[in-house]
Amino acid sequence: VQLQASGGGLVQPGGSLRLSCAASGFALRGYTVGWFRQAPGKERERVSCIRASDSSTSTADSVKGRFTIFRDNAKNAVDLQMNSLKPEDTAIYYCATSRHIYACSASQPQTVFTSWGQGTQVTVSS
């Protein structure tokens, strides 16, 4: 069971990036998948989440309208399309999986996500 996050990089404010969380050894469509980020000196925070049951999504207010999470079952991946990027989006982005039925709820601790990818750096700067 392995998760691989990729797609990070350096982008100017207003630009776009697409992150991908690819799974090997298991079918990702059977799991709830979350994207998280951690900026220097800050706690890790939820960004977006897609449920295993019906692929409905939850997205943090700070990125709502700019970030979209979706499944790419052909690639066995969950992608995060990030548009209109801002300097405050700079962080290491992580993906993780959960079997918890309410994992996407902001009231749930991040520990309900049990398998984590290694992270990919996103830097938004001019």
Side-chain angles (χ1 to χ4, degrees):
V1 175
Q2 188 172 5
L3 292 174
Q4 179 78 31
S6 63
L10 173 63
V11 63
Q12 292 187 341
S16 298
L17 281 175
R18 177 170 166 172
L19 305 184
S20 187
C21 177
S24 59
F26 67 104
L28 200 54
R29 63 180 177 270
Y31 290 77
T32 290
V33 178
W35 278 98
F36 301 78
R37 67 185 182 185
Q38 187 166 21
K42 294 187 177 181
E43 293 186 354
R44 188 170 60 195
E45 63 173 346
R46 296 170 184 265
V47 174
S48 195
C49 186
I50 186 164
R51 296 174 180 84
S53 56
D54 59 1
S55 288
S56 60
T57 63
S58 297
T59 302
D61 288 343
S62 59
V63 304
K64 197 167 289 184
R66 300 188 295 121
F67 291 12
T68 304
I69 187 172
F70 57 96
R71 294 187 184 274
D72 187 338
N73 290 331
K75 295 191 314 181
N76 197 25
V78 169
D79 289 359
L80 184 70
Q81 178 66 43
M82 307 188 296
N83 299 327
S84 302
L85 283 161
K86 304 175 180 180
E88 52 263 43
D89 295 319
T90 295
I92 300 174
Y93 283 71
Y94 300 89
C95 62
T97 61
S98 177
R99 287 283 205 180
H100 195 287
I101 189 171
Y102 297 120
C104 283
S105 171
S107 65
Q108 293 294 325
Q110 293 183 15
T111 50
V112 299
F113 288 86
T114 54
S115 294
W116 291 79
Q118 84 290 0
T120 185
Q121 175 71 47
V122 172
T123 303
V124 185
S125 175
S126 55

